[in-house]
Amino acid sequence: MNERKATPMEKLATFIVDKRNLFFLLYIFAIVFCFFSTNWVKVENDITTYLPEETETRQGLTLMNEEFITYGSAKVMVSNITYETGDKLRGEIEEIEGVSETAFDNTSDHFKNSSALFDITFDGTAEDEISIQALHEIEELLEPYDTYMDTEVGADDAAALKSEMQVIIVIAAIIIVVVLTLTSRSYAEVPVLIATFGVAAILNMGTNFLCGTISFISNSVTVVLQLALAIDYAIILCHRFSDEHETLPAREACIAALSKAIPEISSSSLTTISGLAALAFMHFGIGLDLATVLIKAIMLSLLSVFTLMPGLLMLFSNLIDKSKHRKLLPQITAIGKYDVATRFIIPPIFAVVLVITAILANNCPYCYSFTDLTTAKQSESQIAYQKIKNTFGTSNMVALIVPSGNYKAEASLLKALEAHPEVKSAMGLGNIEAMDGYTLTSALNPREFSELAGIEYELSNLLYSAYAVNDDQYGQILNGLDNYQVPLFDMFLFLKDQMEKGNITLEGDIQDTLDDLFDQLEKAKLQLKSEDYSRMVIYLNLPEESEETFDFLKVIHQEAARFYDEAYVVGNSTSDYDLSTSFVNDNLLISILSALFVIVILLFTFKSAGLPVLLILVIQGSIWINFSFPTIYEEPLYFLSYLIVNSIQMGANIDYAIVISSHYKELKQEMHPKRAIVEALNEAFPTIFTSGSILAVAGALIGQMTTNPIISAIGSCLSRGTIISIILVLAVLPQILVLGDNIIEHTSFELNRINLSSKNYSGTIRVQGRLRGRVNGVMEGSFYGIIRGEMDAMITSGKAVELDSEAPFITEEKGNEAHE
């Protein structure tokens, strides 16, 4: 007898299994490399970096970073003290090296209900060592007091988040071992599964440097999501191996299992990858960042399952055989029977729920700033922010950037802005008082300047002459300097330059006074004026995020347009506005693309137009139900959490529906649909339980144990959405499949296979479909029912199944149950 020729997939599987030691060696090299390359990964903590380049916030932030210096600051509240104590502390804080200014007075802005609020400005930026050291000294000074400190100086959110995620991963790993033990067939399968995933996670973290810079979101949640999304692949291969090993030796069983699992697992991964791929089309760059890292994680998980796990199965095969145990997960036959009994009740109820939750989800209270969001676990900084906010309220600051050089326009613009009730205060070079009632941009002649600066008139004339020559304004010298006016800010900086060059020397108190003034002017210049642009700081009497705030941003632009052709408004409010604008398009785009990608994949998987629609309807329903909770509880939901979870829930949770549908489609070829759905649920439950429980638990841990509001919201929504999806695929999808069997079959574009020859049947035969042949005579036509006796017929569509001789006649509900 000729041996069957091996298929290409079997040849590939044989190569992988036989060369397993080579693959072990390659993975060892890769792991060692990844331990080093993990340190090369650059993490971006500023989410506004991912705004589209054309947005005002992105352009304005780029200008601010290039043109100006922003000094570090801190809001420090000391409770349960008198005003006198607060004033004493203010003096002590200002004496600390590295502290530039401490704002504190007896107004309600700084002292209220026995609490003092100090607005501290440092001599360096938030990252400079001088600012960090000064902050530590302030902490030591205020240690005896009830103190709350809100500042970005020295804050390392990335390190804090990394530490939190390490704890989450450890707890998740323990829970995962328990879940895998419950769903495994042998205790020794668990270390194989853990090792396969662990290697995939290390490979993904070690190759993130290839992406350049990744976001803190991708860097923190990828490991947990990778495990939850990809653990199914390892379980499928493990169960395949167990099935094949019942009749084949370990090597042959591993080859057979791998050759069958590669197409199955690859097909299963497509829905998850397609859901994540939808994120890449977001205008907001965080989508592409997350999609790239997560899709890479899925691909590396597939690689580990296909090339590492077969070798591990061979290595642990003896232990797997010795440690087999009975099924620890119970059958869910009762749920299946309940589903069959309620097939006419649940779908209509679900349809009503769909409409209601779609409306609720559409009215979800999205927010675009996470400043005011609270998490289950809060950091000291978050607690301090809430305490200060509850006592003194919040301040909303925006920066206005305009071309420099026109001091009159700047002063007029500042005055116009301060006239609006929405503006608490506005500050720029045009309205900062220098001395004796003059502002920094007031234009003075030589005599006025000599009186103000306390220098001789002749020296002032010489200084103005030098300034005119330096500025190529020779006509001013020829016409006389008496009426030559120069802005104070420019003249003081010119005087400073001349003194540094040694052209002018002053002594005594005048020199000391000017030195202090020059320091202040230099800081003002670094913060408020560059060669090309000027920056103004505007404090608003408006919340950071509201329609009223967004509308007033347009008013600021209108006022600026009266004086300048170019202007940028930058701040948390403008960032929120840009994010809200991009969200509208991104939300629609992701919803359509994720559903479209999944439908296309399901069309080719099930070769039916109706079934994909039914499956998508169930998962989309779970998404709507998930995001109706924020509406019901009136809790703001960070928009990014919705976009990410929407995509992941569609791409990953659809697998649960696919598993049940696949089993049901196979089983109903052999048994009645009502019985087939019960058996399908029993067969699919271990896979759904494993993947679903891991994803739900991982999400819940992230939601409860991280202080980052964005990460926490993603985890909570993902956990809740996964639980809802599991409930729907177990308690709603079965009814829809049985009830919609006609739709599925009539929308199938798979050609029915026709038996070209007659077949003999005897005993009790259940026939569903069209037949032609002899049944105690000649019979032709569509038929559904039971035949007792003998039949010699050709089945042109549908099927005929020989039953036990005691099988009863099926006479009820033919129109709803008899479908192929």
Side-chain angles (χ1 to χ4, degrees), residues 354-367:
L354 272 187
V355 174
I356 295 173
T357 54
I359 296 172
L360 290 174
N362 192 51
N363 292 311
C364 186
Y366 301 113
C367 64

Side-chain angles (χ1 to χ4, degrees), residues 372-434:
D372 290 323
L373 293 180
T374 56
T375 54
K377 178 184 177 183
Q378 290 198 305
S379 65
E380 289 186 9
S381 176
Q382 289 171 318
I383 294 172
Y385 171 80
Q386 293 296 332
K387 286 282 188 180
I388 295 172
K389 172 187 171 184
N390 293 335
T391 305
F392 290 96
T394 59
S395 59
N396 183 10
M397 183 190 77
V398 296
L400 176 60
I401 302 171
V402 296
S404 63
N406 190 340
Y407 291 136
K408 288 185 178 179
E410 185 174 333
S412 299
L413 176 55
L414 287 167
K415 186 176 181 180
L417 288 171
E418 286 189 315
H420 290 276
E422 292 88 352
V423 174
K424 183 178 182 180
S425 65
M427 182 188 72
L429 290 178
N431 67 352
I432 293 179
E433 186 173 343

Side-chain angles (χ1 to χ4, degrees), residues 779-800:
M779 175 180 175
E780 183 176 355
S782 295
F783 184 78
Y784 172 81
I786 300 294
I787 295 174
R788 297 181 186 275
E790 295 183 357
M791 180 177 77
D792 182 9
M794 179 173 63
I795 308 299
T796 58
S797 69
K799 63 181 181 291

Side-chain angles (χ1 to χ4, degrees), residues 315-372:
L315 193 65
F316 282 79
S317 59
N318 289 332
L319 282 175
I320 291 173
D321 292 339
K322 293 176 182 178
S323 61
K324 285 186 177 179
H325 59 77
R326 63 182 179 83
K327 289 183 178 181
L328 300 178
L329 279 183
Q331 297 280 308
I332 57 169
T333 304
I335 294 177
K337 290 182 177 179
Y338 165 81
D339 291 342
V340 171
T342 58
R343 63 190 181 281
F344 298 113
I345 302 172
I346 295 298
I349 295 175
F350 179 63
V352 175
V353 171
L354 272 187
V355 174
I356 295 173
T357 54
I359 296 172
L360 290 174
N362 192 51
N363 292 311
C364 186
Y366 301 113
C367 64
Y368 306 95
S369 169
F370 53 86
T371 306
D372 290 323

Side-chain angles (χ1 to χ4, degrees), residues 131 180 207 236 314 321 342 362 365 418 436 466 476 517 527 537 563 569 609 638 689 715 721 741 777 796 814:
S131 302
L180 292 179
T207 55
I236 290 172
M314 290 294 296
D321 292 339
T342 58
N362 192 51
E418 286 189 315
D436 295 344
Q476 295 291 347
L517 179 61
Q527 294 183 83
V537 179
F563 305 96
V569 181
Y638 191 61
F689 174 81
D741 206 48
T796 58
K814 298 178 182 179

